[in-house]
Amino acid sequence: MTGTPAGGGSVRAGVTRPEHVHLGTVSHVHLGTISTAVAPLLHGPFRPARVVAATRYAVHLATGDRELPALAVVTRDAIRLPNALVLPFSSADRPLDLNAPWAGVGAGRVVIGPVRFEPEASWTPPRVQDASSPPDPARIRQLTVLLDALSQPLPPPLAPRLTDLRHALHTDKSSEVLRAARTLVGLGPGLTPSGDDILCGALLASRAWGGPLAPLSEAVADATLRTPLLSAALLRHAVRGECVPQAHAFLRSLRGDGALEPALRELLAVGHHSGGDLARGVLAVGLSRACAATGDRDDYPVNYPRLKPGLAARVITGDDEARLHPALTR
């Protein structure tokens, strides 16, 4: 999810593109709009930060702050992450391949190598509101079918872990939810592993529909030690209900506010796999909450294949697995 364009893209950590570095000098200011979720990072004295990933769309910084461990500087055509300082120009106009040896935040600014960024305004990331009402069961059933038809399949190491989480959510036991969720932290390739994206979806859905937010939050409490920093930061935002606009619109559609399929397609366009994995986490919680609300727990589809052959948990093997998720086959 991190560092990608709105329609997908790739993150390359540790890659320098010298021809794109010179957006200005240290005396030149690029104005932007800072997320209120990370605006506190710019308060106080200037302090060191570290570039952990850079693409033409975004530069991600490790801040050293416990609660806000990462800040993203992104172009206007990038995914609007909840921890982003958004710039007014596009990646086509000024690519952001700034893999500088030093950076810093504070005193009202962000500095990355020779470039300084200052907020001229703020924006508030979408936040899922606390609620106890369950999702629309008809929309959850529709999502199950759509997600199977439109999303990429999960590789074998992830599919059984997701089934475990679904089973734990069905039992409605905090200890089981905590155990199953912890096995997903950091599972999968990339800077935002699939397991983390699934948990982001589950956290957001639990806040929206009164699910097991406490054990899910506990499961990711030490995420900075167990998964890439950027993913750990997004998990922290998800605990607070903060998310990308596509996820917020998708959750709203599941309660009947807007059409579901267009909202799902917009979410699936987030990153290579992040949108689909986030939707799977939402669905896991949605099924448990819908079944609990209707009293149909005996019909709860704990294992995806029981729904219909291949439904919502297509499992890939062999060459497809190696091609789509090479890091999991090493």
Side-chain angles (χ1 to χ4, degrees):
M1 182 187 301
T2 53
T4 60
S10 61
V11 174
R12 301 179 308 283
V15 176
T16 303
R17 295 279 297 277
E19 68 272 24
H20 291 154
V21 165
H22 300 293
L23 296 180
T25 67
V26 75
S27 63
H28 189 84
V29 176
H30 291 281
L31 300 178
T33 306
I34 187 75
S35 164
T36 55
V38 292
L41 289 171
L42 273 62
H43 301 160
F46 189 76
R47 53 203 180 277
R50 176 171 54 89
V51 175
V52 293
T55 75
R56 64 185 292 114
Y57 301 96
V59 180
H60 300 279
L61 301 178
T63 66
D65 186 273
R66 179 179 175 83
E67 293 302 317
L68 300 171
L71 182 147
V73 178
V74 307
T75 57
R76 70 178 183 217
D77 54 332
I79 295 169
R80 186 167 284 209
L81 301 171
N83 64 337
L85 188 158
V86 183
L87 301 171
F89 49 81
S90 72
S91 60
D93 295 332
R94 291 176 177 173
L96 281 184
D97 282 317
L98 279 169
N99 192 25
W102 59 273
V105 298
R109 66 189 187 274
V110 177
V111 176
I112 305 173
V115 187
R116 188 170 72 200
F117 305 93
E118 293 184 2
E120 61 177 345
S122 64
W123 67 281
T124 301
R127 187 179 186 278
V128 176
Q129 298 300 312
D130 296 355
S132 57
S133 57
D136 180 351
R139 293 268 172 139
I140 292 297
R141 290 193 294 270
Q142 183 186 2
L143 172 60
T144 305
V145 176
L146 286 172
L147 190 56
D148 178 67
L150 300 176
S151 66
Q152 292 185 12
L154 279 175
L158 283 157
R161 302 290 179 87
L162 177 56
T163 297
D164 288 345
L165 178 64
R166 288 164 53 86
H167 177 78
L169 291 166
H170 172 54
T171 67
D172 204 25
K173 294 181 180 178
S174 294
S175 60
E176 288 298 303
V177 173
L178 173 61
R179 178 197 58 78
R182 282 189 64 81
T183 68
L184 283 165
V185 177
L187 184 62
L191 294 175
T192 58
S194 289
D196 295 347
D197 291 328
I198 289 170
L199 290 173
C200 278
L203 284 161
L204 295 171
S206 292
R207 183 172 290 280
W209 302 324
L213 186 60
L216 287 170
S217 299
E218 184 179 350
V220 303
D222 62 348
T224 53
L225 304 177
R226 305 178 59 212
T227 196
L229 178 70
L230 308 184
S231 194
L234 293 177
L235 283 167
R236 286 185 181 272
H237 286 288
V239 167
R240 295 190 288 267
E242 297 158 354
C243 58
V244 297
Q246 295 90 335
H248 191 256
F250 172 65
L251 282 162
R252 290 179 60 184
S253 74
L254 286 170
R255 72 181 187 204
D257 187 359
L260 174 58
E261 183 172 347
L264 175 59
R265 287 183 180 275
E266 287 290 325
L267 181 59
L268 292 177
V270 174
H272 289 302
H273 59 78
S274 292
D277 294 332
L278 191 149
R280 288 184 174 97
V282 169
L283 177 60
V285 173
L287 281 167
S288 68
R289 300 306 297 166
C291 289
T294 58
D296 293 332
R297 282 197 175 272
D298 289 341
D299 296 328
Y300 181 80
V302 172
N303 199 347
Y304 277 133
R306 293 181 187 172
L307 297 171
K308 284 183 181 179
L311 188 60
R314 293 171 293 161
V315 175
I316 59 176
T317 58
D319 292 341
D320 284 339
E321 180 185 349
R323 176 173 56 83
L324 293 174
H325 296 275
L328 291 179
T329 60
R330 293 184 187 133

